[in-house]
Amino acid sequence: MNEAPPIEIRDLHKSFGKLEVLRGIDFEIAAGEVVCIIGPSGSGKSTLLRCVNRLEEPTAGTVLVEGEDMTDPYADVDALRSKIGMVFQQFNLFPHLDVLKNLTIAQRKVLKRSEEEAVDVATRMLERVGLSDKIAEYPLRLSGGQQQRVAIARALCMNPDMMLFDEPTSALDPELIGEVLDVMRLLASEGMTMIVVTHEMGFAQHVADRIVFMDEGVIVEQGPPERVLLDPQHERTRLFLRAVKHD
């Protein structure tokens, strides 16, 4: 059993040219913990997630995944990345493939599973997200909420140890958001380690073990939901929450 935290970030910096987006992030998540990251647009939340699995290359600092240095030049990035499922704002499904093929292609190519095993896993994961009846549909025939649930099922097919969600409901119509959040609540209740960048304050309040508030590339404040959301210690947090409540 690996005793190391699933994710540990030390003094992480990320710049795009002269723009410093992350300015020294120190952050750790425990096994089975659900952490929601909130903050204004442009505060570095999505960039932080993308640095965790090296979709963005950190400018400086260290990202450890289960104790192994993801930022080491000699790291087996693909092996470490396979431990991390990621769900994006846009669903990133292959439009020319039906749902079943969307869920089996990476299993076959990356995990080298047989077709029979890949189909079995895909079927079980679709059932988990409540979409067994959509196995032969094409993405464009699904609602946005259904597409996002397929994207979650696809990530789960790879047996990740942890899941990253980058504003998974921001592209959805309001009436479709609940069905995606319900799947995420289910994963949290099953003990999945999760980092969720979100604007859904109700979800954060009821599902997160910890809320992290970011602004201008730094972590301003973090703690249990009841403290950060109901009794914030920093003026920047208070201003942000006041603005969100008035949206």
Side-chain angles (χ1 to χ4, degrees):
M1 187 78 178
N2 196 331
E3 298 293 330
I7 295 171
E8 190 175 355
I9 297 166
R10 299 174 183 164
D11 196 27
L12 190 69
H13 292 255
K14 175 63 183 176
S15 296
F16 296 96
K18 293 183 177 178
L19 179 64
E20 196 174 14
V21 178
L22 298 177
R23 301 189 290 128
I25 299 289
D26 289 291
F27 178 77
E28 186 177 302
I29 183 167
E33 188 178 18
V34 178
V35 175
C36 284
I37 303 178
I38 64 172
S41 297
S43 58
K45 307 182 299 295
S46 294
T47 301
L48 174 59
L49 279 200
R50 293 173 69 84
C51 283
V52 166
N53 65 359
R54 290 268 302 268
L55 288 175
E56 294 288 356
E57 203 64 40
T59 306
T62 305
V63 177
L64 299 172
V65 175
E66 296 181 349
E68 295 186 60
D69 187 354
M70 185 79 148
T71 45
D72 187 310
Y74 300 103
D76 186 342
V77 173
D78 288 338
L80 292 173
R81 200 180 271 154
S82 72
K83 300 172 186 282
I84 307 168
M86 184 149 184
V87 178
F88 300 87
Q89 297 177 35
Q90 303 299 332
F91 322 122
N92 292 355
L93 300 174
F94 295 112
H96 63 292
L97 300 179
D98 65 21
V99 166
L100 179 61
K101 286 192 172 67
N102 265 284
L103 266 62
T104 56
I105 187 168
Q107 294 187 64
R108 301 284 310 277
K109 288 181 179 293
V110 179
L111 300 181
K112 308 300 183 191
R113 285 177 178 156
S114 68
E115 182 172 3
E116 185 181 8
E117 186 183 3
V119 168
D120 178 60
V121 171
T123 303
R124 285 190 285 111
M125 293 308 141
L126 279 175
E127 187 176 343
R128 208 167 161 191
V129 301
L131 289 175
S132 297
D133 58 330
K134 303 298 183 184
I135 195 165
E137 288 286 7
Y138 285 81
L140 294 180
R141 292 176 58 86
L142 301 176
S143 70
Q146 290 170 336
Q147 289 185 61
Q148 192 61 294
R149 284 150 66 197
V150 170
I152 294 171
R154 179 181 57 184
L156 293 173
C157 281
M158 306 302 284
N159 290 351
D161 294 342
M162 62 205 82
M163 292 280 285
L164 309 180
F165 293 87
D166 186 8
E167 298 194 28
T169 59
S170 66
L172 300 179
D173 292 332
E175 67 270 20
L176 302 177
I177 289 172
E179 64 189 63
V180 174
L181 295 180
D182 284 345
V183 171
M184 293 168 66
R185 285 188 190 94
L186 174 66
L187 294 179
S189 72
E190 294 173 347
M192 176 65 78
T193 304
M194 295 163 57
I195 304 179
V196 184
V197 171
T198 186
H199 290 293
E200 299 294 331
M201 294 300 150
F203 174 84
Q205 182 172 351
H206 293 109
V207 180
D209 298 300
R210 176 165 39 122
I211 289 181
V212 173
F213 173 67
M214 284 182 66
D215 192 18
E216 296 183 351
V218 299
I219 293 175
V220 176
E221 179 167 3
Q222 61 181 307
E226 58 273 13
R227 189 183 66 68
V228 175
L229 295 180
L230 304 178
D231 186 26
Q233 305 300 297
H234 290 262
E235 181 62 18
R236 282 153 85 186
T237 317
R238 286 194 284 272
L239 289 172
F240 170 75
L241 291 173
R242 212 170 292 146
V244 168
K245 284 171 185 169
H246 286 94
D247 278 351

